[in-house]
Amino acid sequence: MAFAPFVRSSRICLALACSIALAGFRGNAAVSKMKLSGYLTARADANTVMILDDRLELTAASKIIGKDDSGEHPLELADLAPGMLIEAEGQWVDRHRFFPERLTVDLRQNERKIHGSAYLQEEPQDASKIASGEASLLKVDGYWLALDSRTKRAWNVSKASAGMTARDSGAGTLLAGYRVKYSGSPGADGRLAAEEVELGPPAAADDYKMPHNLDIVRAKDPQTGTEVLEFREGKKLQGRMKLLAERTVQEYVSHLGDSLIPEGAKGTRRPIEFRFFVVEDPEINAASLPDGTLLINTGLLGAIENEAQLAFILSHEMAHVLQVHYRREVEETRGSRVGLTIAGLAASAFIGNAGMFMAQIGIASAVNGHQRELENQADRLALQNVIEHGYDPREAPNFSRIIVNRYGNRTTSKLWSNHDSSLIRGSFLTVQLMREYPDGHWDGAMKNTPSFQAMKDDLGPVKIM
Ligand SMILES: [Zn+2]
């Protein structure tokens, strides 16, 4: 998932820029340029665009360029609009104020047509209308698709389930879990006018397998009696994580997680049992493993402000599992299975660095995050899931703000990269809400609960890194 690992990038520059400015070096040619990336969330005025809370103040000297597959094209200030993915190079002039010398718009993100593929997170309400060619609505991939007489449909359930046994196809009537390929054009109402929809089979059972067929089991350390999570390859213990001792916190997270499991989990060809474990780890992060095991760090529970934020994070992680992102990533980016051996871990040792361990077993993305399209997909589906469960989806970008602000003032961090940052994630979520739910009214939606507050009390102060 990775809310945390690369988040530091966007704000370190802030702290650096401030100290440089104070030292009187601002504008000096030797000062290296800072970068800022994200989706434009608003236009504040004629010369200013926003990415979440950051103001990008353009002047006549700012160079604006659009980039697509054919190359670079000059753009005007007036061309900049909310929703565009940009990268700015320039200087921080103040907290939340950035002066871009050069601003590059990724024009490929602005294509009129959206296409993709996803496993249905929930049962389509209009399934029979879709099959019979009538006007209908379909929720897929975090979008609302509007089908009409012009939509090209390949929607044949028996064809999509061909070769599957009765047990494979779940209850037999469920389409949740089936794959849908789609394309469409976004309209002002937030819906996509569907050009094509095609129903395909659910993911293969093996797609939910853990690398090395690792078993993940709850156990007790024989010496200390500490509750641990063990990663076992056959009889061999490959690593352990320390579980948080507070039962009530574990139970609260499991209970919330169970209440958020999408219908799509019932339609998988390998039964998925989602399990939620709170592990002692100060990093603000959570991770999901291909088999439905979710790891929620104590640092994350310490940092979040309300139940809506946790509901979003759990939904995001479950989306990674149900969309078989590990398998997709292996197929699309690496072409082969990785992590053939697990090396270098003393069997009884506690896993000190979850990222390193996941890398060793070939699923570094569990902790470090997937490629951007997959993170975006998990975010879209998570937004839809929390909205369905009555939560305020605006808490999703607010969670990104917590990370941006927390890591922003950390001058000790050396991390600077072009990797996905929380600013990109937070601004994506904001844009997604604006586009998909132009009429969204969330003021009455759930944000917090007494049980969340009770969990925070039981958790007490935790180390956050
Ligand atoms: Zn993720």
Side-chain angles (χ1 to χ4, degrees):
M1 97 128 121
F3 285 102
F6 301 122
V7 293
R8 299 164 183 104
S9 52
S10 56
R11 279 335 187 79
I12 295 98
C13 48
L14 171 73
L16 278 177
C18 291
S19 56
I20 288 164
L22 288 170
F25 292 132
R26 211 175 101 211
N28 187 317
V31 172
S32 64
K33 290 204 181 99
M34 301 298 165
K35 278 188 187 171
L36 179 67
S37 310
Y39 294 82
L40 298 182
T41 48
R43 258 201 102 105
D45 59 50
N47 297 311
T48 309
V49 289
M50 306 286 296
I51 299 180
L52 283 188
D53 303 324
D54 290 331
R55 299 168 62 85
L56 281 73
E57 300 173 355
L58 294 119
T59 68
S62 307
K63 204 168 169 190
I64 307 172
I65 289 153
K67 223 174 174 177
D68 60 20
D69 292 332
S70 68
E72 296 191 343
H73 318 277
L75 291 180
E76 301 290 323
L77 225 162
D79 297 328
L80 297 178
M84 288 177 165
L85 177 61
I86 66 110
E87 184 180 86
E89 265 180 273
Q91 304 293 337
W92 287 97
V93 288
D94 199 353
R95 186 174 159 79
H96 291 310
R97 284 178 64 210
F98 189 84
F99 162 61
E101 289 166 34
R102 185 186 159 98
L103 189 148
T104 313
V105 180
D106 187 345
L107 292 173
R108 292 167 307 177
Q109 300 282 322
N110 274 13
E111 282 166 0
R112 282 296 297 157
K113 201 157 127 181
I114 291 175
H115 56 92
S117 146
Y119 296 100
L120 289 172
Q121 184 166 258
E122 59 191 85
E123 193 58 20
Q125 296 306 310
D126 285 356
S128 56
K129 285 186 185 173
I130 296 169
S132 65
E134 289 169 70
S136 40
L137 284 175
L138 175 64
K139 263 179 171 176
V140 61
D141 205 9
Y143 294 111
W144 275 104
L145 250 67
L147 288 72
D148 63 17
S149 56
R150 285 161 299 181
T151 307
K152 219 176 122 194
R153 311 174 195 214
W155 193 274
N156 185 324
V157 178
S158 49
K159 206 173 143 195
S161 58
M164 282 164 50
T165 65
R167 215 188 91 232
D168 265 357
S169 52
T173 51
L174 274 180
L175 289 182
Y178 277 64
R179 191 194 65 216
V180 170
K181 281 189 191 168
Y182 65 92
S183 64
S185 312
D189 57 358
R191 290 173 177 167
L192 297 185
E195 284 174 31
E196 284 185 63
V197 289
E198 182 194 321
L199 187 72
D206 277 358
D207 289 358
Y208 302 98
K209 259 193 188 162
M210 279 294 290
H212 306 275
N213 280 320
L214 282 180
D215 284 320
I216 306 164
V217 288
R218 183 192 276 272
K220 254 196 173 112
D221 183 272
Q223 255 120 56
T224 60
T226 315
E227 293 241 46
V228 294
L229 203 58
E230 292 187 345
F231 289 72
R232 290 190 193 145
E233 188 178 9
K235 284 188 181 141
K236 198 170 166 221
L237 183 60
Q238 293 289 13
R240 305 194 296 175
M241 286 180 180
K242 216 177 260 176
L243 290 172
L244 179 73
E246 273 77 12
R247 279 260 162 197
T248 51
V249 175
Q250 294 276 0
E251 279 162 12
Y252 164 78
V253 174
S254 291
H255 190 256
L256 178 64
D258 284 341
S259 75
L260 292 162
I261 296 174
E263 276 178 302
K266 289 185 222 150
T268 55
R269 292 166 80 172
R270 180 195 183 95
I272 293 204
E273 187 201 347
F274 277 107
R275 298 184 300 167
F276 307 87
F277 296 104
V278 179
V279 294
E280 290 210 17
D281 189 324
E283 202 165 1
I284 307 178
N285 208 352
S288 55
L289 305 177
D291 69 342
T293 304
L294 267 67
L295 307 172
I296 297 95
N297 290 359
T298 44
L300 179 117
L301 293 182
I304 52 173
E305 297 163 334
N306 54 54
E307 187 168 291
Q309 291 174 359
L310 185 56
F312 173 77
I313 293 156
L314 298 177
S315 298
H316 173 102
E317 294 303 331
M318 288 194 277
H320 278 315
V321 175
L322 291 174
Q323 300 299 322
V324 297
H325 281 170
Y326 299 94
R327 168 51 55 120
R328 279 178 65 171
E329 210 153 49
V330 166
E331 278 170 3
E332 288 166 21
T333 66
R334 287 171 282 185
S336 63
R337 300 291 302 273
V338 291
L340 297 174
T341 56
I342 305 175
L345 257 188
S348 61
F350 280 105
I351 294 166
N353 182 320
M356 215 120 79
F357 180 73
M358 297 305 164
Q360 284 193 346
I361 63 173
I363 51 172
S365 49
V367 171
N368 293 335
H370 298 264
Q371 45 180 307
R372 184 175 308 146
E373 303 93 89
L374 302 188
E375 288 301 331
N376 285 357
Q377 179 174 63
D379 275 348
R380 283 195 305 269
L381 288 164
L383 278 180
Q384 216 164 55
N385 204 43
V386 294
I387 288 169
E388 225 132 80
H389 286 85
Y391 289 101
D392 188 337
R394 295 173 300 187
E395 289 305 315
N398 281 346
F399 170 63
S400 298
R401 283 188 166 93
I402 292 178
I403 299 188
V404 168
N405 288 327
R406 180 173 286 271
Y407 291 123
N409 298 320
R410 199 198 246 194
T411 48
T412 51
S413 172
K414 291 188 288 284
L415 270 173
W416 165 253
S417 74
N418 286 326
H419 283 106
D420 239 350
S421 71
S422 278
L423 197 60
I424 294 187
R425 301 282 309 285
S427 57
F428 172 79
L429 288 162
T430 303
V431 166
Q432 189 62 26
L433 279 176
M434 274 176 348
R435 282 188 174 161
E436 294 285 306
Y437 307 93
D439 304 320
H441 301 292
W442 319 113
D443 286 346
M446 209 179 353
K447 221 162 109 167
N448 221 337
T449 59
S451 44
F452 179 86
Q453 284 313 324
M455 179 277 287
K456 279 283 212 179
D457 292 344
D458 292 347
L459 181 69
V462 290
K463 195 171 153 200
I464 302 174
M465 255 173 62

